[in-house]
């Protein structure tokens, strides 16, 4: 994303005085993003393009043309400073839709151009039996310092995680520019490149990309998104000259859309962002993991103590995860990092042993619950409110919804079942006020 923002700054400097909406139309023209569906909402691109040299034009075209190759590489995506991968096409289409609303009086096509059409494609064929199609997958970059190639972690689908991230950002920034006019490079820089202070997201402005899911959840209600998906499907059919759906087919479509939206809401709205192991550069598991028998009944809360400071960026949190894993594998002699998940203060949850593998976090209790650690020492201070909410409200709800935790699970501090000061006096007193906290021994 940093390189893309620099490219936009170059385009802006070569085209002084160009309005942001004209800039976006010029970028869309250069990349050939002008199919009938896009034209229906945004109109045709300007016949005269914007001034760019050949190398810059080639970069813009490559950056905006989204596709998945046969060998599972996703193109037209960028790595953002918050550690997520974003497709640029739905992002810029959403911003353009928001800018056009200043002249039209309402944001037209925002949902269809960013998310709804893609979600409609994931339903399958609409004339006949729908084909089930997964949402996702996510993937990993070949390098975090110089990301060039993004490889999907599973078979491609109609709606990758990067498309969803770009779509959500397109909605958020589309609504932002509909109220405040700003240069494109400045808008992207403020959203993606905010540097947090010690209090993390507790003192951070809105909107920024680290708050993507919570902001999107506040802006877009699932019933609204479901209606927009259905409208997108009908429009796509009409633009292709296909006959109108019969009543029975419309009902079947609505059922399919609502089913798919439940999956979408759970994965991308209710659950927190979970950074996969390959993104923090985890070492492989040593040996053969022990599978968990789900659902589990307990969640055990830890602090890392070392590292003692909260991590505020994806880069630092990923380094801390590698440090913890190194200590657990080389010094403790464990097969892997011991925790199931780890909460940073950067807005992310980091994947440890994850949902299905038994951890090494709470001696004698690893088969009964998940071990969730917070990076930092919380003997005398608390983690950020945002990181605590991610675990208490988001990760726990996600675990129950996906069938990994029982609904009436018990939450305990590490010290309740093992002779340790973990998770620190201050933090332990805090979690005693949380729902599901239990004094009873398991």
């Amino acid at each position: 994303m940093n390189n893309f923002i620099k490219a936009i700054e170059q385009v802006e400097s070569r085209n002084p005085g160009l309005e942001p909406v004209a800039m976006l139309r010029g970028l869309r023209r250069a990349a050939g993003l002008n199919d009938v569906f896009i034209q229906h909402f945004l109109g045709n691109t300007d016949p005269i393009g914007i001034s760019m040299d050949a190398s810059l034009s080639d970069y813009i075209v490559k950056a905006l043309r989204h596709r998945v190759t046969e060998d599972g590489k996703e193109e037209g995506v960028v790595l953002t400073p918050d550690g997520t991968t974003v497709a640029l096409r739905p992002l810029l289409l959403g911003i353009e839709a928001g800018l056009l609303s200043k002249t039209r009086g309402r944001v037209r096509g925002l949902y269809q151009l960013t998310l709804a059409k893609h979600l409609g494609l994931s339903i399958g064929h609409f004339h006949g039996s729908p084909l089930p199609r997964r949402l996702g997958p996510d993937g990993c970059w070949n390098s975090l310092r110089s990301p060039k190639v993004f490889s999907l972690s599973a078979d491609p689908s109609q709606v990758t995680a990067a498309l969803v991230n770009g779509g959500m950002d397109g909605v958020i920034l589309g609504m932002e520019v509909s109220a405040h006019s700003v240069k494109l490079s400045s808008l992207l820089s403020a959203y993606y490149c905010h540097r947090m202070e010690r209090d993390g997201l507790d003192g951070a402005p809105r909107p920024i990309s680290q708050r993507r899911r919570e902001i999107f959840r506040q802006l877009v209600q699932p019933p609204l998104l479901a209606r927009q998906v259905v409208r997108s499907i009908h429009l796509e059919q009409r633009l292709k000259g296909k006959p109108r759906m019969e009543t029975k087919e419309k009902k079947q479509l609505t059922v399919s859309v609502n089913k798919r939206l439940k999956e979408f809401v759970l994965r991308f709205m209710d659950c927190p962002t979970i950074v996969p192991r390959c993104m923090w550069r985890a070492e492989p598991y040593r040996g053969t993991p022990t599978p968990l028998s789900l659902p589990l009944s307990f969640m055990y809360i830890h602090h890392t103590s070392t590292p003692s400071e909260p991590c505020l960026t994806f880069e630092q949190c990923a380094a801390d995860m590698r440090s913890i894993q190194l200590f657990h594998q080389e010094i403790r002699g464990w097969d892997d990092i011991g925790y199931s998940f780890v909460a940073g203060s950067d807005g992310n949850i980091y994947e440890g042993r994850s949902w299905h593998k038994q951890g090494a976090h709470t001696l004698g209790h690893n088969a009964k619950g998940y071990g969730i650690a917070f990076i930092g020492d919380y003997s005398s201070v608390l983690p950020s409110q945002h990181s605590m909410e991610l675990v208490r409200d988001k990760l726990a709800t996600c675990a129950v919804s996906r069938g990994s935790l029982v609904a009436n699970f018990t939450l305990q501090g590490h010290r309740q079942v093992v002779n340790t000061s973990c998770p620190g006096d201050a933090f332990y007193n805090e979690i005693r006020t949380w729902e599901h906290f239990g004094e009873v021994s398991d």
Side-chain angles (χ1 to χ4, degrees):
M1 179 59 78
N2 289 332
N3 288 338
F4 182 72
I5 293 174
K6 290 177 182 177
I8 295 301
E9 290 174 341
Q10 292 180 43
V11 176
E12 289 171 340
S13 67
R14 291 178 66 100
N15 298 268
L18 193 66
E19 291 295 323
V21 68
M23 166 77 69
L24 285 161
R25 282 186 166 178
L27 296 175
R28 182 157 57 89
R29 181 179 187 275
L33 304 182
N34 204 34
D35 60 42
V36 292
F37 191 89
I38 294 175
Q39 288 184 37
H40 178 81
F41 295 107
L42 301 180
N44 208 339
T45 56
D46 296 329
I48 301 177
I50 53 182
S51 175
M52 290 186 285
D53 60 38
S55 61
L56 184 57
S57 178
D58 289 344
Y59 173 79
I60 293 292
V61 170
K62 184 177 180 181
L64 295 185
R65 287 185 177 173
H66 180 269
R67 75 182 187 111
V68 177
T69 65
E70 291 183 358
D71 59 348
K73 304 295 190 296
E74 189 170 9
E75 299 176 350
V77 298
V78 296
L79 175 64
T80 70
D82 69 8
T84 54
T85 300
V86 169
L88 291 171
R89 171 177 168 149
L91 165 65
L92 296 193
L93 291 178
I95 295 173
E96 186 175 345
L99 287 169
L100 284 177
S101 72
K102 289 182 175 295
T103 57
R104 294 175 175 172
R106 63 189 179 91
V107 183
R108 181 171 178 265
L110 180 61
Y111 301 106
Q112 290 92 336
L113 292 166
T114 53
L115 276 174
K117 179 182 177 181
H118 297 303
L119 289 172
L121 289 172
S122 76
I123 302 300
H125 294 298
F126 312 121
H127 293 281
S129 300
L131 295 176
R133 311 218 180 153
R134 297 174 296 103
L135 293 178
D138 207 335
C140 281
W141 289 91
N142 63 318
S143 167
L144 297 183
R145 292 194 177 276
S146 181
K148 301 294 184 184
V149 179
F150 186 70
S151 301
L152 295 174
S153 58
D155 291 338
S157 72
Q158 292 285 345
V159 186
T160 64
L163 270 175
V164 173
N165 290 332
M168 289 195 290
D169 289 348
V171 171
I172 293 167
L173 293 182
M175 290 189 176
E176 177 74 6
V177 297
S178 69
H180 306 92
S181 182
V182 64
K183 285 201 316 182
L184 180 57
S185 61
S186 299
L187 176 73
L188 296 177
S189 182
Y191 184 72
Y192 289 109
C193 303
H194 173 76
R195 296 187 66 84
M196 287 188 287
E197 304 297 333
R198 182 177 174 79
D199 55 357
L201 285 178
D202 290 355
R206 297 175 76 250
I208 56 175
S209 61
Q210 291 93 330
R211 295 184 179 275
R212 174 185 295 110
R213 294 194 180 195
E214 64 182 88
I215 298 173
F216 186 81
R217 191 70 171 88
Q218 293 167 1
L219 291 176
V220 182
Q221 296 302 312
L224 167 64
L225 189 54
R227 290 195 297 272
Q228 297 296 338
V229 172
V230 172
R231 288 175 183 174
S232 292
I233 294 170
H234 288 164
L235 175 61
E236 184 81 356
Q237 299 284 74
R238 179 165 63 83
L239 292 175
K240 291 180 178 179
K242 294 184 178 181
R244 291 181 177 273
M245 292 184 183
E246 300 292 336
T247 301
K248 181 179 179 180
E249 191 175 12
K250 287 181 180 179
K251 291 181 179 179
Q252 291 175 340
L253 173 60
T254 300
V255 170
S256 296
V257 168
N258 287 331
K259 182 178 180 180
R260 179 47 48 93
L261 258 294
K262 287 181 180 179
E263 180 186 350
F264 174 84
V265 168
L266 171 62
R267 179 165 178 181
F268 294 104
M269 295 174 72
D270 290 345
C271 289
T273 301
I274 298 177
V275 176
R277 291 170 60 91
C278 60
M279 280 298 291
W280 59 266
R281 293 297 188 258
E283 291 294 320
Y285 191 100
R286 298 176 179 176
T288 303
T290 301
L292 289 167
S293 180
L294 304 180
L296 304 183
S297 299
F298 290 84
M299 178 180 284
Y300 301 108
I301 302 297
H302 302 247
H303 71 168
T304 62
S305 183
T306 303
S308 61
E309 294 297 318
C311 57
L312 300 176
T313 66
F314 162 69
E315 184 178 11
Q316 183 58 54
C317 291
D320 286 347
M321 289 295 291
R322 293 192 295 272
S323 175
I324 295 167
Q325 186 187 40
L326 179 67
F327 176 74
H328 285 180
Q329 287 185 320
E330 300 299 330
I331 306 303
R332 292 284 176 85
W334 297 344
D335 293 334
D336 195 4
I337 188 171
Y339 307 119
S340 308
F341 297 96
V342 180
S345 294
D346 63 332
N348 291 324
I349 301 292
Y350 289 79
E351 181 186 26
R353 299 208 190 183
S354 201
W355 300 112
H356 298 287
K357 297 175 184 176
Q358 182 174 307
H361 45 78
T362 312
L363 185 63
H365 301 76
N366 294 314
K368 301 175 182 179
Y370 291 111
I372 315 298
F374 287 71
I375 293 179
D377 185 325
Y378 299 107
S379 300
S380 58
V381 297
L382 289 176
S384 68
Q385 289 295 323
H386 190 273
S387 64
M388 290 192 292
E389 290 169 3
L390 275 183
V391 171
R392 182 189 64 217
D393 302 331
K394 294 294 185 179
L395 187 63
T397 299
C398 179
V400 172
S401 298
R402 70 192 309 279
S404 298
L405 268 181
V406 296
N408 61 341
F409 72 91
T410 300
L411 181 144
Q412 294 185 323
H414 188 193
R415 64 172 60 184
Q416 289 177 263
V417 290
V418 176
N419 184 20
T420 176
S421 62
C422 181
D425 290 347
F427 195 15
Y428 178 66
N429 288 332
E430 165 67 23
I431 67 171
R432 291 177 66 184
T433 68
W434 291 8
E435 184 181 4
H436 292 284
F437 178 83
E439 296 281 4
V440 296
S441 174
D442 58 340

